[in-house]
Amino acid sequence: MKTSLTKAPYNSTGHLINYVHGYAGDVPEWRPNKPFPALLGLQGITRGMSAARFCWLSDKGQPFEMFMTDAADLMKGRAPLYAGTVDSWWMIIKRGQNYGIRLADTDDLQRAGHVAGPKTDCLACRGVTYAYEDWCPLPPTPDKPHQFRPDPTRTGLSNRTVLCLCGAPLRSTAHPGMTCTCSSEDNTACSDPGCKG
């Protein structure tokens, strides 16, 4: 079950503290808990007093632990896993007296103010060090106009339909400028399933 954790403990080197010993006042830094991007590589597992956890290392050299429940959610989710690495957005979670990470979900991103568009349009993305992704991590929805973003995991192979991250086909009213403008009077036609040509 997800917690509504507002702050997370970090040590003097800026790494997440997995277990707060003694008094919370001994923690060097409590940071606001908001979604953050990281490319993580699986290092192995560790076993504590209460449970086993997955150990990850970010491309910036930051260690993170992940509870088994959150690792199972990660493996069942849509995050791109490849050869023991995963590149996504994360949240800190507390289970019992221990801290770890989990995949950030749509609710987390919305609460943080993300807007599902280019990063230049998203105030929540500004100042985030994530140079190789130009899009806000919040997935678009078909009920709001947005730029088309291909979803490689959901592209229909049987009918060759190219789907957007919102789940709608390329030519859809959700994607301004991509809807069919053909007409029988102009003798034009396209591959849009709703083509009027």
Side-chain angles (χ1 to χ4, degrees), residues 71-129:
D73 290 343
L74 170 66
M75 290 174 206
K76 291 186 291 187
R78 293 184 57 210
L81 286 161
Y82 177 73
T85 63
V86 60
D87 187 10
S88 194
W89 286 66
W90 309 95
M91 288 289 288
I92 306 301
I93 188 167
K94 183 179 181 187
R95 293 187 185 276
Q97 297 302 310
N98 299 293
Y99 294 87
I101 59 168
R102 66 168 172 79
L103 203 57
D105 62 22
T106 299
D107 291 340
D108 298 321
L109 296 166
Q110 285 176 336
R111 275 193 297 275
H114 288 277
V115 298
K119 275 176 54 177
T120 52
D121 296 343
C122 178
L123 291 175
C125 283
R126 291 188 187 164
V128 175
T129 308

Side-chain angles (χ1 to χ4, degrees), residues 29-194:
E29 183 181 5
W30 287 91
R31 293 183 190 167
N33 187 23
K34 59 184 181 179
F36 64 94
L39 172 61
L40 303 179
L42 184 61
Q43 303 296 297
I45 59 170
T46 185
R47 191 168 287 281
M49 295 286 285
S50 58
R53 293 180 290 277
F54 283 89
C55 300
W56 299 87
L57 189 66
S58 79
D59 56 345
K60 306 279 193 284
Q62 295 172 301
F64 293 101
E65 290 186 3
M66 181 182 289
F67 302 103
M68 293 292 200
T69 299
D70 302 306
D73 290 343
L74 170 66
M75 290 174 206
K76 291 186 291 187
R78 293 184 57 210
L81 286 161
Y82 177 73
T85 63
V86 60
D87 187 10
S88 194
W89 286 66
W90 309 95
M91 288 289 288
I92 306 301
I93 188 167
K94 183 179 181 187
R95 293 187 185 276
Q97 297 302 310
N98 299 293
Y99 294 87
I101 59 168
R102 66 168 172 79
L103 203 57
D105 62 22
T106 299
D107 291 340
D108 298 321
L109 296 166
Q110 285 176 336
R111 275 193 297 275
H114 288 277
V115 298
K119 275 176 54 177
T120 52
D121 296 343
C122 178
L123 291 175
C125 283
R126 291 188 187 164
V128 175
T129 308
Y130 199 55
Y132 40 88
E133 175 60 73
D134 292 330
W135 293 92
C136 168
L138 185 68
T141 57
D143 60 326
K144 295 180 187 171
H146 59 272
Q147 290 177 265
F148 176 81
R149 293 176 62 190
D151 183 352
T153 65
R154 289 170 50 186
T155 296
L157 299 177
S158 60
N159 60 7
R160 305 269 186 230
T161 302
V162 179
L163 297 179
C164 176
L165 279 177
C166 74
L170 173 68
R171 296 186 181 278
S172 161
T173 55
H175 314 126
M178 297 305 294
T179 53
C180 173
T181 58
C182 304
S183 73
S184 56
E185 290 122 20
D186 296 339
N187 203 22
T188 55
C190 68
S191 61
D192 188 336

